[in-house]
Amino acid sequence: MQATAEAALGDLNAATASAARDGLLEERRARQTAERSLKLLTMLAEKTRGNLDFTEADLLTDAIGSVRERLNAAPQGGAAQN
């Protein structure tokens, strides 16, 4: 989910090709894709609270923080450029 969000925000990573193929990187959908991924990550954190080990919880918290930070920095019109 983090990789999909980051791909939508302009990062080149393993999820980029798949996201592009699925039309998720089109400017009009990129921010929506990233926001949806953030919501899913946040829901996952809420639903698993108390059931993750420290490493898992930290990974999830870091993913949420990273995507949230990138969304806040991204222009409202579409994907951020790196």
Side-chain angles (χ1 to χ4, degrees), residues 31-74:
R31 186 171 186 88
Q32 179 184 21
T33 299
E35 288 172 346
R36 187 174 299 130
S37 293
L38 178 60
K39 288 178 184 178
L40 288 169
L41 286 166
T42 303
M43 180 183 67
L44 183 62
E46 291 171 3
K47 298 292 185 179
T48 60
R49 187 168 293 132
N51 293 314
L52 300 177
D53 65 31
F54 291 117
T55 302
E56 293 166 335
D58 283 345
L59 182 64
L60 188 52
T61 298
D62 289 347
I64 291 168
S66 175
V67 172
R68 186 174 285 137
E69 184 177 309
R70 291 290 309 280
L71 271 169
N72 288 337

Side-chain angles (χ1 to χ4, degrees), residues 17-28:
S18 176
R21 183 188 67 237
D22 294 341
L24 301 177
L25 302 186
E26 294 175 13
E27 189 171 331
R28 69 184 196 282

